[in-house]
Amino acid sequence: MIYKLLIFILSLTLLPACTQKNNEVKDDTLFVYSARKEHLIKPLFEKFTSQTGIQVKYVTDKAGALLQKLKAEDENSPADILMTVDAGNLWKAADSQLFEAANSRVLSKNIPPHLKDSNNLWFGLSVRSRTIIYNSEKVDASNLSTYKDLGSPKWKKRLCLRTAKKVYNQSMVAMFIEQYGIAETEEFLKSWVSNLAAPVFSSDTAIIEAIDAGQCDVGIVNSYYLGRYIKKNSASKVKVFWPNQKSSANKLGVHVNISGAGILKSSKNKKKALALLEWLSSKEAQTQYAQLNYEYPVLSGVPLDAIVSNWGEFKQNTLNMSLAGKNQGQAIKLMDRAGYK
Ligand code: FE
């Protein structure tokens, strides 16, 4: 009984304090749900706060978990911004009506049209290239050309791929569907599968290690994983090749994806949320944002990390990234039909 009384008295004294704190948080602080890891966002948010006085709080989790959380919280969500990797995930959030359009001259100027939603629901903030890598002691780069060509007989038992369950590959195949059509994409995916040197890998880094060790000769990974790998293994034999540089029309260019963000409908702080997105697209933030993870900036004219600039320039495919989400269901079925596990 005494305990119950104590708890009652305590709750009376503590509750007003808690409520007040929550209000303070709502008024002065932005809340970001982030599928990007803490070490990649924290330095940027700190710099933004030091320049604007706007505090930024965040939680990090997997994209799928954050989407579920946002759907469950609905209008009552404390979050202002969802930040995640892969256009497929951003498209899903937009498809679930979670984002509010942000019309901003700054964002339109800084971010190329193919790297953002055409209705301004989400914006790419960094570019990741999903490209071909090879063992430079076993492969003559002049034998490499396109993604599709990795299915040619010369790569028999020499190709390593990551699992079809990873959204990076689902988004890539979704873009191939747009570029090559369903029948041609299915055909060359089958030829990829028949060229595999080993069962599919669970991570891009495992593919890089396997290629460096000579278990396979060619593979497809996001180049930032190779950046991290080279940073630790300067004697690595693994090199980057930029495919589809001479291809025609919409088959032209390296498959790219983005990390990006959108302002949530639930946000009570949309002006400040927009200020953060605009700042993240600025030259200062873009330099740091891309370099922190060996990625590419969305803003042109921004210096690259030394390892990344060493790989040289390349043409990227410029079909709108939202197709990665729109065609994703079809891509998953197609990979299954092609025997790509
Ligand atoms: Fe990744």
Side-chain angles (χ1 to χ4, degrees), residues 133-136 207-209 211-213 226 229-230 235-240 311:
I133 55 166
Y134 64 98
N135 182 313
S136 56
I207 294 176
I208 296 168
E209 286 164 355
I211 292 178
D212 207 12
L226 185 59
Y229 186 80
I230 290 173
S236 161
K237 301 184 222 38
V238 186
K239 291 213 152 59
V240 157
W311 295 331

Side-chain angles (χ1 to χ4, degrees), residues 77-253:
S77 175
D80 298 292
I81 286 174
L82 172 68
M83 210 171 190
T84 183
V85 296
D86 204 286
N89 290 329
L90 291 162
W91 186 88
K92 270 183 215 161
D95 197 46
S96 304
Q97 320 274 325
L98 292 173
F99 288 138
E100 175 135 330
N103 297 310
S104 148
R105 256 196 283 161
V106 175
L107 292 175
S108 298
K109 189 168 112 282
N110 291 352
I111 305 170
H114 69 291
L115 302 177
K116 65 182 191 68
D117 173 61
S118 51
N119 295 317
N120 294 318
L121 292 169
W122 46 262
F123 303 87
L125 295 170
S126 68
V127 176
R128 34 244 325 266
S129 58
R130 193 153 186 78
T131 193
I132 295 177
I133 55 166
Y134 64 98
N135 182 313
S136 56
E137 285 183 0
K138 296 170 76 188
V139 172
D140 181 348
S142 67
N143 284 320
L144 289 161
S145 58
T146 62
Y147 292 99
K148 187 181 163 181
D149 181 67
L150 292 178
S152 83
K154 67 183 168 206
W155 303 114
K156 194 91 195 161
K157 297 226 161 78
R158 299 174 75 187
L159 173 66
C160 280
L161 294 173
R162 185 175 186 165
T163 169
K165 293 188 181 75
K166 182 67 188 179
V167 68
Y168 300 166
N169 283 333
Q170 295 168 356
S171 288
M172 180 174 68
V173 173
M175 296 306 274
F176 287 159
I177 287 176
E178 202 66 29
Q179 296 171 268
Y180 295 87
I182 287 186
E184 194 175 340
T185 306
E186 192 172 331
E187 203 172 303
F188 79 75
L189 252 58
K190 272 184 193 155
S191 65
W192 280 7
V193 172
S194 71
N195 279 349
L196 289 179
V200 292
F201 288 71
S202 62
S203 78
D204 283 14
T205 302
I207 294 176
I208 296 168
E209 286 164 355
I211 292 178
D212 207 12
Q215 187 189 353
C216 19
D217 297 344
V218 287
I220 297 175
V221 299
N222 285 359
S223 59
Y224 58 85
Y225 288 105
L226 185 59
R228 292 183 204 165
Y229 186 80
I230 290 173
K231 182 82 183 165
K232 286 189 214 141
N233 307 276
S234 53
S236 161
K237 301 184 222 38
V238 186
K239 291 213 152 59
V240 157
F241 179 81
W242 302 122
N244 292 48
Q245 297 300 286
K246 290 171 190 152
S247 303
S248 59
N250 64 357
K251 296 184 182 75
L252 178 70

